[in-house]
Amino acid sequence: MLLREEEYSHATAILSGMEEKTSLFTELEQWFEETYGLRVYDYFCGLTNAGRPRLRLLLWDRDCVGKMKKGANPDERKQRRTAEKFAALCVKYKMHPAYRRPGDFLVTYDTLRDEIQKRVLRECSGEMKSIEASDIWRVEILFDRVYVFFETDEQKNRHQDDNVCGSIRRKLDAIAERHDSFGAFADGVQCVFTSRQTLDEKYDGNMFYYTR
């Protein structure tokens, strides 16, 4: 799921200290970290497509969300325990009437780091697309990754060996760092090195099919 603009703005305002947390959120945040060792950055109350109340907890990244699952599915025990705690907090602070019984709502998770990364890359896309290095044909930004296309597969393989790709990666990291005030790129930019040859031969030059 993608965060709406107002949700993203609210979460980053809390993260930067510009928005004060409610007592309910502060207690939920403390409990969640003590119970699961994970930080909650915000929460959103809404409805599923079927009209059922849904609590969306905003965690940092996909690894954090993975810790709340069993394989590909949500961990039902953790879901139930979290719903019980949130329902009790809603009763305690007299908030969110539709969430005061744990069986009445779903608990799902969104990620903040992915949203920050996508927005940072969008903000500095022009700068990234104009980087210069040997044999670059094109630089594309798609979601939270940067794709660097050389002209041929031979060039791509050669530049992975002669550290041209490493130099490009460092340039991309430096650009992202200048725009990243929340540390979403602490591990660097996700960069994919490929070639125009691969795009043309395997995907008929269609960028949409290549990135599917």
Side-chain angles (χ1 to χ4, degrees):
M1 294 182 63
L2 301 176
L3 298 183
R4 297 194 304 272
E5 189 64 39
E6 60 269 27
E7 293 172 340
Y8 179 79
S9 297
H10 188 264
T12 53
I14 288 178
L15 182 59
S16 62
M18 297 175 62
E19 182 87 16
E20 188 175 349
K21 299 174 185 176
T22 64
S23 297
L24 185 154
F25 179 50
T26 298
E27 192 168 338
L28 174 67
E29 179 184 40
Q30 293 171 347
W31 175 85
F32 204 86
E33 189 159 0
E34 290 169 0
T35 304
Y36 303 121
L38 299 172
R39 180 177 173 184
V40 176
Y41 289 84
D42 207 347
Y43 74 89
F44 311 108
C45 293
L47 298 175
T48 67
N49 290 336
R52 184 180 179 185
R54 174 175 57 201
L55 170 67
R56 293 163 53 209
L57 299 180
L58 189 60
L59 307 184
W60 180 239
D61 59 15
R62 296 181 188 120
D63 288 340
C64 293
V65 171
K67 293 176 182 178
M68 302 303 293
K69 293 184 175 182
K70 278 189 174 180
N73 300 312
D75 186 321
E76 293 183 6
R77 185 183 62 84
K78 291 180 179 178
Q79 300 285 88
R80 183 172 61 254
R81 192 176 182 186
T82 301
E84 289 171 352
K85 181 62 179 180
F86 188 74
L89 291 175
C90 289
V91 172
K92 177 179 178 179
Y93 291 104
K94 300 179 180 178
M95 295 177 65
H96 311 303
Y99 294 80
R100 294 180 186 178
R101 293 193 303 180
D104 289 348
F105 60 92
L106 294 175
V107 180
T108 62
Y109 309 98
D110 290 331
T111 59
L112 181 57
R113 181 184 184 184
D114 299 331
E115 286 290 332
I116 295 173
Q117 286 183 339
K118 284 183 282 188
R119 290 164 190 260
V120 167
L121 289 178
R122 189 167 61 210
E123 181 180 344
C124 59
S125 62
E127 197 175 348
M128 287 186 167
K129 289 182 178 182
S130 64
I131 63 170
E132 296 182 357
S134 301
D135 303 316
I136 285 184
W137 168 63
R138 183 173 177 179
V139 176
E140 282 291 331
I141 297 172
L142 298 155
F143 303 108
D144 57 353
R145 287 180 173 82
V146 179
Y147 292 77
V148 178
F149 290 84
F150 294 104
E151 285 284 352
T152 68
D153 288 343
E154 186 276 330
Q155 290 171 346
K156 178 201 70 173
N157 294 333
R158 173 157 47 86
H159 291 320
Q160 286 178 324
D161 292 335
D162 64 15
N163 205 36
V164 168
C165 289
S167 174
I168 293 170
R169 191 184 299 274
R170 288 189 291 273
K171 290 178 182 179
L172 294 172
D173 287 344
I175 293 170
E177 186 177 353
R178 290 197 295 272
H179 295 265
D180 178 20
S181 58
F182 297 113
F185 286 101
D187 299 326
V189 174
Q190 295 185 70
C191 189
V192 177
F193 293 101
T194 184
S195 73
R196 183 178 186 176
Q197 179 183 346
T198 295
L199 180 68
D200 289 343
E201 291 180 356
K202 294 185 177 180
Y203 303 94
D204 198 26
N206 191 308
M207 191 69 66
F208 174 79
Y209 290 130
Y210 174 81
T211 56
R212 291 295 291 171

